[in-house]
Amino acid sequence: MPSATVSGVMKAIRSFASDNNAGIHPDVLKAISAANRGHVVGYGDDAYTDAAVRKFKEHFGPDIEVFIVFNGTAANCLSLKALTDSYHAVICAEAAHIYTDECGAPEKFTGCKLIPLPASDGKLTVEAVRDAYHGIGDQHHVQPRVVSVTQATEMGTVYKPREVRDLARFAHEHNMFLHMDGARIANAAVSLGLTLREATRDLGVDVLSFGGTKNGAMGAEAVVFFDRRLGRDFLYRRKQGMQLASKMRFISAQFEALLSNHLWRENAEHANQMAALLEQAVRKIPRVKIVHEVEANGVFVQIPRQAIAKLQKRYFFYVWNEEQSVVRWMCSFDTTEDDVKQFAKFVAETV
Ligand SMILES: Cc1ncc(COP(=O)(O)O)c(C=O)c1O
């Protein structure tokens, strides 16, 4: 992320690199500050964590189990660990964060093989999963046990409710679980016009990695079990996985803020709207090609190779596919219309 210092003070810059590059939403920061009073018991045995758990239950139903962790990689790894033995396999899209961006942590923590399937728009299909589902009962083969989907996907697309439901049905009919990497579940739910529950549990998801960080929090993620039995030993897994926060109140307070007064929804809605605006603006530029449907807060475009470095001099962002000259531009809860207009103008001038 480019940063400019003015008299030693960091100047505020907003890039389109990642929703992780945004700061903390002011209401979340206020909640952290409000929790910063006196001493409370550590490790989650506190009123802030009770309140956060109550909020999760308001959204997802009273019979869930929820565990707070610090980051999304851990939410994924520990979720998968709770569902598998080391001879199992996890089926996912080839672009899945668990497969491409977690440094093999899911394999390390679960001992399982990940089976990546081609998915040009980031979405698994039942047909693809069916093809990969074989070797059942054969002692020489890993046994598929989990189908993992990312919602919204790494390509900025969003599974339709029917697509998730069909994958869940297939998984359950074949003695598998459906895990959802919901690092951007808020963006997806908003995009679909659904509540958090309707976008997950009601579609048959068994375990959700719930993302708070990209939605305006600071290192706040959670694992939500819709069948409590699956989360039975998770207290111990989380501790062994080094994800039990001693000062948990400060993470819990963030969730209470995000899950109250529709803040999660407003933040996601805004980020999605800014991505739609960016898409409209850059779509008109010759030699800029939108490569995936813009359904959440990311815009994937193919641009002339020589323009990338020039654009990156002013705005840092990631190259998604070097060979195809595809880059990823992400919007956040704090992206402004002005940011979008200025960036689109710069793209038009540069490209
Ligand atoms: C799809 C997806 N899953 C999970 C994560 C969580 O990653 P981290 O461990 O950096 O919080 C990310 C972050 O970029 C992501 O994009």
Short mmCIF file of all heavy atoms in Angstrom, two decimals, residues 18 20 70-74 76 97 102 150 152 154 181 183-184 213-214 221 328, ligand 1:
data_model
loop_
_atom_site.label_atom_id
_atom_site.label_comp_id
_atom_site.label_asym_id
_atom_site.label_seq_id
_atom_site.Cartn_x
_atom_site.Cartn_y
_atom_site.Cartn_z
N SER A 18 -7.29 -4.12 -1.50
CA SER A 18 -7.96 -5.15 -0.71
C SER A 18 -8.87 -4.50 0.32
O SER A 18 -8.55 -3.43 0.85
CB SER A 18 -6.92 -6.00 0.02
OG SER A 18 -7.55 -6.87 0.93
N ASN A 20 -9.00 -5.64 3.04
CA ASN A 20 -8.18 -5.75 4.25
C ASN A 20 -7.33 -4.51 4.47
O ASN A 20 -6.76 -4.32 5.54
CB ASN A 20 -7.20 -6.93 4.14
CG ASN A 20 -7.85 -8.23 4.51
OD1 ASN A 20 -8.87 -8.25 5.19
ND2 ASN A 20 -7.28 -9.31 4.06
N PHE A 70 -9.00 -14.99 15.50
CA PHE A 70 -8.42 -13.71 15.04
C PHE A 70 -8.43 -13.54 13.53
O PHE A 70 -8.42 -12.43 13.05
CB PHE A 70 -6.92 -13.57 15.38
CG PHE A 70 -6.47 -14.07 16.69
CD1 PHE A 70 -5.23 -14.69 16.81
CD2 PHE A 70 -7.22 -13.88 17.83
CE1 PHE A 70 -4.77 -15.14 18.02
CE2 PHE A 70 -6.77 -14.32 19.05
CZ PHE A 70 -5.54 -14.95 19.15
N ASN A 71 -8.26 -14.62 12.80
CA ASN A 71 -8.13 -14.42 11.35
C ASN A 71 -8.84 -15.50 10.55
O ASN A 71 -9.24 -16.54 11.08
CB ASN A 71 -6.66 -14.27 10.92
CG ASN A 71 -5.87 -15.54 11.09
OD1 ASN A 71 -6.34 -16.64 10.80
ND2 ASN A 71 -4.65 -15.41 11.57
N GLY A 72 -8.99 -15.21 9.27
CA GLY A 72 -9.80 -16.06 8.41
C GLY A 72 -9.14 -17.38 8.10
O GLY A 72 -9.82 -18.40 7.95
N THR A 73 -7.82 -17.37 8.00
CA THR A 73 -7.12 -18.62 7.73
C THR A 73 -7.39 -19.61 8.87
O THR A 73 -7.68 -20.79 8.64
CB THR A 73 -5.60 -18.36 7.58
OG1 THR A 73 -5.42 -17.46 6.48
CG2 THR A 73 -4.83 -19.62 7.34
N ALA A 74 -7.34 -19.10 10.08
CA ALA A 74 -7.60 -19.97 11.24
C ALA A 74 -9.05 -20.42 11.26
O ALA A 74 -9.35 -21.59 11.56
CB ALA A 74 -7.27 -19.23 12.52
N ASN A 76 -10.93 -20.96 8.80
CA ASN A 76 -11.06 -22.04 7.81
C ASN A 76 -10.39 -23.33 8.30
O ASN A 76 -10.98 -24.41 8.25
CB ASN A 76 -10.41 -21.61 6.49
CG ASN A 76 -11.27 -20.59 5.75
OD1 ASN A 76 -12.48 -20.49 5.97
ND2 ASN A 76 -10.65 -19.81 4.88
N HIS A 97 -9.38 -19.66 -1.39
CA HIS A 97 -8.36 -19.13 -0.47
C HIS A 97 -7.69 -20.27 0.27
O HIS A 97 -6.48 -20.28 0.45
CB HIS A 97 -9.04 -18.16 0.50
CG HIS A 97 -8.10 -17.22 1.19
ND1 HIS A 97 -7.53 -17.51 2.40
CD2 HIS A 97 -7.63 -16.01 0.82
CE1 HIS A 97 -6.76 -16.49 2.77
NE2 HIS A 97 -6.79 -15.57 1.83
N GLU A 102 -3.30 -19.87 1.72
CA GLU A 102 -3.14 -20.12 3.16
C GLU A 102 -1.89 -20.94 3.43
O GLU A 102 -1.77 -21.60 4.46
CB GLU A 102 -4.43 -20.75 3.74
CG GLU A 102 -5.60 -19.77 3.57
CD GLU A 102 -6.91 -20.15 4.21
OE1 GLU A 102 -7.03 -21.27 4.74
OE2 GLU A 102 -7.83 -19.31 4.15
N THR A 150 -16.56 -20.66 -1.20
CA THR A 150 -16.24 -19.32 -0.70
C THR A 150 -17.34 -18.39 -1.15
O THR A 150 -17.69 -18.36 -2.34
CB THR A 150 -14.89 -18.84 -1.28
OG1 THR A 150 -13.91 -19.85 -1.06
CG2 THR A 150 -14.45 -17.55 -0.63
N ALA A 152 -18.69 -14.29 -0.59
CA ALA A 152 -18.58 -14.19 -2.02
C ALA A 152 -17.28 -14.86 -2.48
O ALA A 152 -16.34 -14.99 -1.70
CB ALA A 152 -18.57 -12.71 -2.42
N GLU A 154 -13.69 -15.75 -4.52
CA GLU A 154 -12.43 -15.02 -4.72
C GLU A 154 -12.46 -14.22 -6.01
O GLU A 154 -11.62 -13.36 -6.23
CB GLU A 154 -11.25 -16.00 -4.75
CG GLU A 154 -10.92 -16.65 -3.41
CD GLU A 154 -11.83 -17.79 -3.01
OE1 GLU A 154 -12.75 -18.15 -3.77
OE2 GLU A 154 -11.61 -18.35 -1.91
N ASP A 181 -16.50 -20.61 3.40
CA ASP A 181 -15.55 -19.57 3.76
C ASP A 181 -16.27 -18.24 3.53
O ASP A 181 -16.39 -17.77 2.41
CB ASP A 181 -14.29 -19.69 2.88
CG ASP A 181 -13.32 -18.54 3.12
OD1 ASP A 181 -13.68 -17.57 3.81
OD2 ASP A 181 -12.18 -18.60 2.60
N ALA A 183 -15.49 -15.16 4.42
CA ALA A 183 -14.69 -13.95 4.69
C ALA A 183 -15.45 -12.71 4.21
O ALA A 183 -15.34 -11.64 4.79
CB ALA A 183 -13.34 -14.06 4.00
N ARG A 184 -16.25 -12.91 3.14
CA ARG A 184 -17.08 -11.80 2.62
C ARG A 184 -18.56 -12.21 2.59
O ARG A 184 -19.28 -11.87 1.67
CB ARG A 184 -16.61 -11.40 1.21
CG ARG A 184 -15.21 -10.88 1.18
CD ARG A 184 -14.81 -10.30 -0.17
NE ARG A 184 -13.43 -9.85 -0.13
CZ ARG A 184 -12.37 -10.63 -0.38
NH1 ARG A 184 -12.54 -11.90 -0.72
NH2 ARG A 184 -11.15 -10.13 -0.30
N THR A 213 -13.45 -8.98 9.58
CA THR A 213 -12.36 -8.05 9.30
C THR A 213 -12.60 -7.23 8.03
O THR A 213 -12.46 -6.00 8.04
CB THR A 213 -11.03 -8.84 9.17
OG1 THR A 213 -10.91 -9.69 10.31
CG2 THR A 213 -9.84 -7.91 9.10
N LYS A 214 -12.99 -7.90 6.95
CA LYS A 214 -13.18 -7.17 5.69
C LYS A 214 -14.43 -6.29 5.73
O LYS A 214 -14.65 -5.46 4.88
CB LYS A 214 -13.30 -8.17 4.53
CG LYS A 214 -12.01 -8.94 4.29
CD LYS A 214 -12.22 -9.98 3.22
CE LYS A 214 -11.20 -11.09 3.27
NZ LYS A 214 -9.81 -10.70 3.21
N GLU A 221 -12.86 -12.62 13.45
CA GLU A 221 -13.47 -13.67 12.62
C GLU A 221 -14.11 -14.67 13.58
O GLU A 221 -13.80 -14.68 14.78
CB GLU A 221 -12.42 -14.36 11.76
CG GLU A 221 -11.53 -13.42 10.96
CD GLU A 221 -12.16 -12.84 9.69
OE1 GLU A 221 -12.77 -13.61 8.95
OE2 GLU A 221 -12.05 -11.62 9.47
N ARG A 328 -7.10 -7.15 -9.92
CA ARG A 328 -8.26 -7.14 -9.01
C ARG A 328 -8.34 -5.79 -8.31
O ARG A 328 -7.36 -5.33 -7.73
CB ARG A 328 -8.06 -8.24 -7.96
CG ARG A 328 -9.19 -8.38 -7.00
CD ARG A 328 -8.88 -9.35 -5.87
NE ARG A 328 -8.13 -8.70 -4.80
CZ ARG A 328 -8.06 -9.15 -3.55
NH1 ARG A 328 -8.68 -10.26 -3.22
NH2 ARG A 328 -7.37 -8.51 -2.63
C1 LIG B 1 -11.74 -15.69 0.63
C2 LIG B 1 -10.90 -15.43 1.83
N1 LIG B 1 -10.94 -16.29 2.84
C3 LIG B 1 -10.25 -16.08 3.97
C4 LIG B 1 -9.48 -14.96 4.12
C5 LIG B 1 -8.85 -14.75 5.44
O1 LIG B 1 -7.55 -14.49 5.48
P1 LIG B 1 -6.73 -13.99 6.74
O2 LIG B 1 -6.15 -15.18 7.36
O3 LIG B 1 -5.74 -13.10 6.11
O4 LIG B 1 -7.65 -13.26 7.68
C6 LIG B 1 -9.36 -14.06 3.07
C7 LIG B 1 -8.48 -12.89 3.18
O5 LIG B 1 -8.00 -12.31 2.27
C8 LIG B 1 -10.09 -14.29 1.89
O6 LIG B 1 -10.06 -13.45 0.86
#
